[in-house]
Amino acid sequence: MANKRDLKKQIKYICGEIALECIMTREYVEGVDPKKLNDLVIRTADLQQKSLKNATFAFDKTPSDFDSLKEYHKASNAYFAKAYKTFYAEFNKSVQEIVDQLNKAIPESQRELNKKIANAK
């Protein structure tokens, strides 16, 4: 990860794309339940808000807590690596749940048509 600003941009982009897919599906695919898709848009917005809020981590130790600055940096890097790995895992799990619900909301006939179109490319 380059920095926190890039992470937040990625979160906004991913959540925006998911919400767009839900809205486009609601408007242009016949046979879907609009209420389910509206709920998915709201879940996506909640995910974005929660993820942006939780994207900030703080290492609660100072260099004076360690014998050397090298040990402090090693511990700090390990903490942030673990924190971001956990954050990504939780975010990706939530995204996958929303995408699965979106796919379930699409009628079987439309899914088959989508597969044919994708295979033709």
Side-chain angles (χ1 to χ4, degrees), residues 1-17 48 51-52 55 87-88 91:
M1 185 196 79
N3 60 36
K4 187 171 29 173
R5 179 179 20 180
D6 290 339
L7 173 63
K8 289 184 174 186
K9 285 180 184 180
Q10 288 175 349
I11 291 168
K12 289 176 185 177
Y13 175 77
I14 291 167
C15 290
E17 287 296 314
Q48 177 176 321
S51 297
L52 290 174
F87 176 82
Y88 279 123
F91 179 75

Side-chain angles (χ1 to χ4, degrees), residues 9-106:
K9 285 180 184 180
Q10 288 175 349
I11 291 168
K12 289 176 185 177
Y13 175 77
I14 291 167
C15 290
E17 287 296 314
I18 293 170
L20 177 63
E21 281 295 320
C22 292
I23 292 168
M24 296 295 286
T25 301
R26 181 190 68 204
E27 295 298 320
Y28 296 108
V29 175
E30 293 183 23
V32 297
D33 183 4
K35 185 179 181 320
K36 284 184 182 179
L37 293 172
N38 288 339
D39 290 343
L40 288 176
V41 171
I42 292 169
R43 276 185 62 194
T44 304
D46 288 342
L47 173 63
Q48 177 176 321
Q49 182 179 9
K50 177 184 153 204
S51 297
L52 290 174
K53 178 182 165 197
N54 293 334
T56 301
F57 307 101
F59 187 54
D60 60 349
K61 309 256 186 209
T62 62
S64 62
D65 294 335
F66 296 88
D67 292 335
S68 68
L69 194 56
K70 182 178 179 180
E71 289 179 20
Y72 168 76
H73 287 299
K74 184 177 178 181
S76 174
N77 289 340
Y79 170 82
F80 285 113
K82 183 179 178 184
Y84 280 109
K85 184 177 180 180
T86 302
F87 176 82
Y88 279 123
E90 290 175 6
F91 179 75
N92 289 335
K93 180 183 173 202
S94 297
V95 166
Q96 190 60 48
E97 289 171 359
I98 293 171
V99 171
D100 289 344
Q101 291 297 317
L102 174 60
N103 288 335
K104 288 178 184 175
I106 298 173

